[in-house]
Amino acid sequence: DTGVSQDPRHKITKRGQNVTFRCDPISEHNRLYWYRQTLGQGPEFLTYFQNEAQLEKSRLLSDRFSAERPKGSFSTLEIQRTEQGDSAMYLCASSFPTGTNTGELFFGEGSRLTVL
Amino acid sequence: KQEVTQIPAALSVPEGENLVLNCSFTDSAIYNLQWFRQDPGKGLTSLLLIQSSQREQTSGRLNASLDKSSGRSTLYIAASQPGDSATYLCAVLANQAGTALIFGKGTTLSVSS
């Protein structure tokens, strides 16, 4: 595996349903990030992990959103009681920590959520 | 609060032209700056990363420059091709302990043959 992988690539759901996205980072990277991108906008930071610890959460991450990274490997992002405003591309990225490396982020192909 | 602006929002050029995409940021105390390419409906592909101590980076037909003091970066694309058509995003990492990239909205480039 040479890149960040995300699953599913596209999810269509009805309002009020729960959805879960999975991200598998580059294996030697211990930082993992979630971003959200809506049409015509740049990606917006949601949360990030260093190993299994969730170190920062954006104010964009409402109580309906939860992210986990058990054992510091893959991560999941769950959205409960989805709303139409949650429709977006959810992007995952990974990196080495800054200070020991360049801090370059590598992104996956994204998971597109459509809430009807 | 760091803000990143990209101008123009969209650009159309004929094949073969050299072009410049602009990125500006409000807080010059950055750790690095990264340029990405995004094709429609796809994820982000890293193009170039410039550390705060560097002035430019080159990869093939791409050259990115950084002027921290003025809060600006440019992405120069030489001899543009239709395959260069995509959205180009600029992002800055605030500092060594910074946790997340701050992105601009991107410049959508269309190169016609």
Side-chain angles (χ1 to χ4, degrees):
Chain A
D1 181 15
T2 58
V4 178
S5 64
Q6 294 188 243
D7 183 72
R9 293 291 313 280
H10 194 182
K11 178 72 175 179
I12 300 173
T13 190
K14 293 182 179 180
R15 187 176 55 186
Q17 298 295 306
N18 299 342
V19 296
T20 300
F21 301 115
R22 175 181 170 124
C23 171
D24 287 89
I26 295 171
S27 58
E28 59 268 32
H29 287 179
N30 56 8
R31 280 198 173 186
L32 186 149
Y33 304 78
W34 285 100
Y35 283 80
R36 181 174 70 186
Q37 185 180 28
T38 54
L39 200 62
Q41 303 295 314
E44 296 173 296
F45 169 72
L46 292 178
T47 188
Y48 103 98
F49 294 82
Q50 181 151 318
N51 301 311
E52 67 275 9
Q54 187 175 19
L55 297 186
E56 186 169 339
K57 294 193 291 186
S58 162
R59 286 175 293 178
L60 293 175
L61 212 67
S62 75
D63 292 344
R64 297 184 297 105
F65 287 70
S66 62
E68 295 181 343
R69 192 182 181 196
K71 303 178 183 178
S73 55
F74 70 91
S75 175
T76 58
L77 177 68
E78 181 183 17
I79 308 174
Q80 296 181 326
R81 306 181 302 282
T82 52
E83 302 173 356
Q84 288 184 325
D86 297 331
S87 295
M89 174 79 88
Y90 290 86
L91 295 161
C92 177
S94 69
S95 76
F96 286 109
T98 56
T100 61
N101 207 278
T102 63
E104 185 173 8
L105 264 68
F106 296 87
F107 281 81
E109 287 293 313
S111 293
R112 179 166 296 283
L113 174 65
T114 301
V115 182
L116 301 176
Chain B
K1 177 187 172 185
Q2 177 74 271
E3 292 184 359
V4 179
T5 303
Q6 292 188 246
I7 295 173
L11 182 63
S12 293
V13 300
E15 182 177 8
E17 270 203 10
N18 302 326
L19 57 101
V20 174
L21 307 181
N22 297 293
C23 171
S24 62
F25 44 95
T26 54
D27 186 346
S28 62
I30 64 169
Y31 185 74
N32 66 34
L33 183 145
Q34 213 169 336
W35 282 94
F36 294 89
R37 169 184 172 139
Q38 187 173 33
D39 293 298
K42 302 289 187 180
L44 278 64
T45 300
S46 178
L47 296 174
L48 290 165
L49 180 144
I50 310 177
Q51 298 287 9
S52 61
S53 59
Q54 298 174 325
R55 294 300 300 265
E56 65 178 340
Q57 283 286 334
T58 298
S59 176
R61 295 182 294 109
L62 304 180
N63 175 277
S65 68
L66 174 64
D67 184 344
K68 271 183 51 177
S69 61
S70 66
R72 293 183 180 182
S73 176
T74 61
L75 179 67
Y76 175 83
I77 303 177
S80 58
Q81 303 170 358
D84 295 329
S85 299
T87 296
Y88 291 82
L89 292 155
C90 164
V92 298
L93 190 63
N95 51 59
Q96 185 169 334
T99 56
L101 288 176
I102 307 298
F103 282 84
K105 293 183 179 181
T107 294
T108 299
L109 173 65
S110 177
V111 182
S112 56
S113 56

